Each structure stands twice: as structure tokens, then as C-alpha cells.
Amino acid sequence: MTDALDVDVQSLRVLKAIADEGSLTAAAAALGYSQPAVSQQVKRLEQRLGLAVIERAGRRVRLTEAGRVLARHASAVTSALDAAAGELAELQGLRAGRVRMVGFPSASPGVIPRLLADLGERRPGITITYVEAEPPEAVAAVREDRADIALTFSYPGDRSDPHGASARGLSVRTIGTDDLVAVLPEGHPAAAAAAVDVSLLVDENWIAGCPRCRGHLLELCGRAGFTPRIGFETDNFVAVEGLVAQGIGVATLPRMAIESFPRMPGVRTVALPAQEARTLHVVTAYRADRVPAIRSALDALDRVLAPVGLAPVGHDAAN
């Protein structure tokens, strides 16, 4: 039986980089090593195991079955070790570090700038990188160790909710809800109402958003007994308002998107039923909050979201 102590963490990092990048040269570049150093690391690992972990496939390399087994466990092992290092850093009073974040586009105009400003003031030693991604891609980024924190959302009745089986083993924390509103031209008969029943919009042309938002629109209208006539699709919620303002169609948008920029003239928003609100989540690796830099970013997220009534991020629990 192979002794697990013969597999060092650096070998796991190298193997995971090879799996991610597809070649020794690209893996070396990703890790900041020379290509010969990566080759030697692989050779030593194979000698310890008595098994091959990579095989040639033309100009590229791929993992053998033994390599895939190790790579599959690499993220969990390296995350646990990073957490241990983080706790030691906490004891030493360190507050520096790098945190990789991904988030959905409507969080970018408001939440992320405030988060960066908060950390810049309180924890200037922490560097944040940020990339926009829809929830399935954001959850995958955390699972594959390409991100530390993901801001995500899910809609009621979502048949492909990425916070289920695909997030197993990660920490998924619900932090609140974001109301959905109907976006209507100023002269629309329902524009002055306090709330609107979607069934009253059966004859309208619709403007659909991101793929997940489009899916929810279809389900929302389906529950109201009709299929929406979608004439336009755009991920840009400013463009959605522009189309609505010109009377091109109607749409639904999350309130977070609506409030992230000044309301366009000629547009009115009307509340949809509360049960149609989307749920907001924070996704991290299990116990990642024990890494001081990540914990500091989560604490900053709490402070940024508190004014809008969202729940504290809290501490880790496995999904």
C-alpha cells in the first residue's frame, strides 16, 4: 500500500498545475518554476509512488489514472494546508495575503468597489483580484482552486442550481435575497402600480438577460400560464433599460442591478411577488475562512452588505 507521507504538498501543486494547463511548460509558467524543475518534481514523485503519473499525448501531456487520483484530492489537501498556514499567520499577527474573488455582474458596480475600499482602509496588506462569472462558472472556480471566494445567486425553482451536487464539499452560505422587479416603459398601464402580476404582461415583447436569468424568466412566465415572446437578449442591464425606455419591450431585473446606476429616463420599475426574489450566496472552500486574508475579505463583505440588510457571512460549514 502506498504511504501517503511519500506524497508531498509541492508534488500535489505541480500535478494539479499539469492537469489544469495540459503541458509541463505551461504548468511551470503558472507556478513560476523552470520546466526542468517541474520535470524533476514529477520524476521524484513517480519514483516514490512506483507509478507513472503523466503520459505523453503528442506535444502535450495528460495524467495517468494514478495522476488523476492525486490531482482530484490536490485542492482539498492544499486548501487545508493553506488554512493551517493561515492560522499560524493569525497567531503571528500577519494580515497580508492575496484573495481571488469571482462574482456575478450585478455585484460588480456596487458591492465590489465598496469591498475594495473597505479592505484598502482596514487591511492594506491584502490584495484582491476579481473576475466576473455567472454562478456555475464561479462555483467551478472555487472547486478547481482558481478562486477563494465566489459571490453567487440562485432563483426559486432553478433546475440547474449550481449550489447543489456541483458544490458538494464546498462551503455555501446564504447571505440574503435580492428582489426581482418588472422594468416597464414610463407610459405602460402597469407602470404606476405598486406591484404587478406577470400574467398581465402576456402580450408584451420581452428582453431577456443572462442565460440563468433567461431561464428564470421562462419559468416565471410559465407559472403564469404563457411563454414570453423574447425579441432581444443582452447581458448588459444598462442596455436592458435603454431598450425598455424606447418602448422596445419589457424585462425583469434584480433590484441590485437597478440600484447600481442612475435610473434611465422613461423607465419605471414595479415590484414582482417576493417569492420570485433570487437568493444570494457566498461560496468558499471548506474551512477557507481560517485563512486570515480570506477571513478579512469575508468580514469586509459583511460590512459592505450590512446596510442593504443582507445576513452576515458567518463561519464555515460544509455543504
Side-chain angles (χ1 to χ4, degrees):
M1 184 175 179
T2 300
D3 186 350
L5 293 178
D6 284 343
V7 182
D8 63 276
V9 65
Q10 194 55 43
S11 295
L12 289 177
R13 293 187 193 277
V14 167
L15 201 60
K16 185 176 183 304
I18 294 171
D20 291 342
E21 304 298 333
S23 74
L24 298 181
T25 301
L31 293 169
Y33 299 160
S34 67
Q35 193 271 338
V38 169
S39 297
Q40 286 299 315
Q41 189 78 41
V42 171
K43 184 177 179 180
R44 286 194 295 269
L45 175 60
E46 291 181 328
Q47 289 173 341
R48 290 176 180 176
L49 293 174
L51 294 167
V53 296
I54 64 171
E55 58 187 5
R56 295 286 175 181
R59 295 185 177 181
R60 298 173 67 82
V61 296
R62 62 189 178 195
L63 300 186
T64 63
E65 184 176 0
R68 291 194 296 272
V69 168
L70 289 176
R72 189 168 66 244
H73 293 280
S75 291
V77 172
T78 56
S79 292
L81 289 172
D82 287 344
E87 290 185 46
L88 293 176
E90 183 79 21
L91 291 175
Q92 295 171 329
L94 299 179
R95 290 296 183 275
R98 179 173 68 100
V99 178
R100 302 162 299 169
M101 293 190 65
V102 292
F104 52 89
S106 54
S108 300
V111 174
I112 299 305
R114 294 199 300 272
L115 175 71
L116 294 175
D118 182 286
L119 281 172
E121 179 180 349
R122 296 170 183 262
R123 296 284 185 263
I126 294 176
T127 300
I128 299 285
T129 62
Y130 177 73
V131 176
E132 282 188 354
E134 295 296 340
E137 293 74 28
V139 171
V142 174
R143 174 171 293 287
E144 296 166 9
D145 195 28
R146 292 182 285 108
D148 302 303
I149 300 173
L151 294 178
T152 63
F153 65 85
S154 60
Y155 279 110
D158 191 344
R159 299 174 187 174
S160 57
D161 187 351
H163 306 91
S166 61
R168 189 165 294 133
L170 302 179
S171 169
V172 180
R173 286 160 283 189
T174 298
I175 58 172
T177 56
D178 186 21
D179 292 336
L180 200 66
V181 300
V183 187
L184 307 174
E186 190 171 38
H188 193 280
V196 64
D197 185 331
V198 175
S199 64
L200 299 177
L201 305 176
V202 61
D203 295 324
E204 301 292 343
N205 290 317
W206 285 83
I207 303 158
C210 71
R212 300 191 70 76
C213 300
R214 184 184 190 279
H216 180 253
L217 174 63
L218 292 172
E219 292 187 8
L220 171 68
C221 295
R223 289 195 295 272
F226 71 97
T227 299
R229 187 171 60 245
I230 297 174
F232 300 89
E233 296 187 41
T234 174
D235 290 343
N236 186 327
F237 41 84
V238 179
V240 170
E241 282 206 14
L243 290 167
V244 172
Q246 296 301 317
I248 304 299
V250 301
T252 63
L253 283 176
R255 192 169 296 281
M256 184 177 286
I258 290 291
E259 294 180 349
S260 65
F261 60 95
R263 184 77 50 80
M264 194 170 288
V267 171
R268 293 290 180 267
T269 59
V270 182
L272 288 169
Q275 61 266 29
E276 300 299 339
R278 64 179 180 175
T279 302
L280 305 182
H281 313 272
V282 170
V283 181
T284 64
Y286 178 51
R287 302 183 77 179
D289 63 339
R290 298 195 178 192
V291 178
I294 296 176
R295 182 68 255 172
S296 293
L298 294 173
D299 289 342
L301 194 56
D302 280 347
R303 291 189 292 271
V304 166
L305 296 177
V308 294
L310 297 184
V313 174
H315 290 275
D316 236 335
N319 187 33

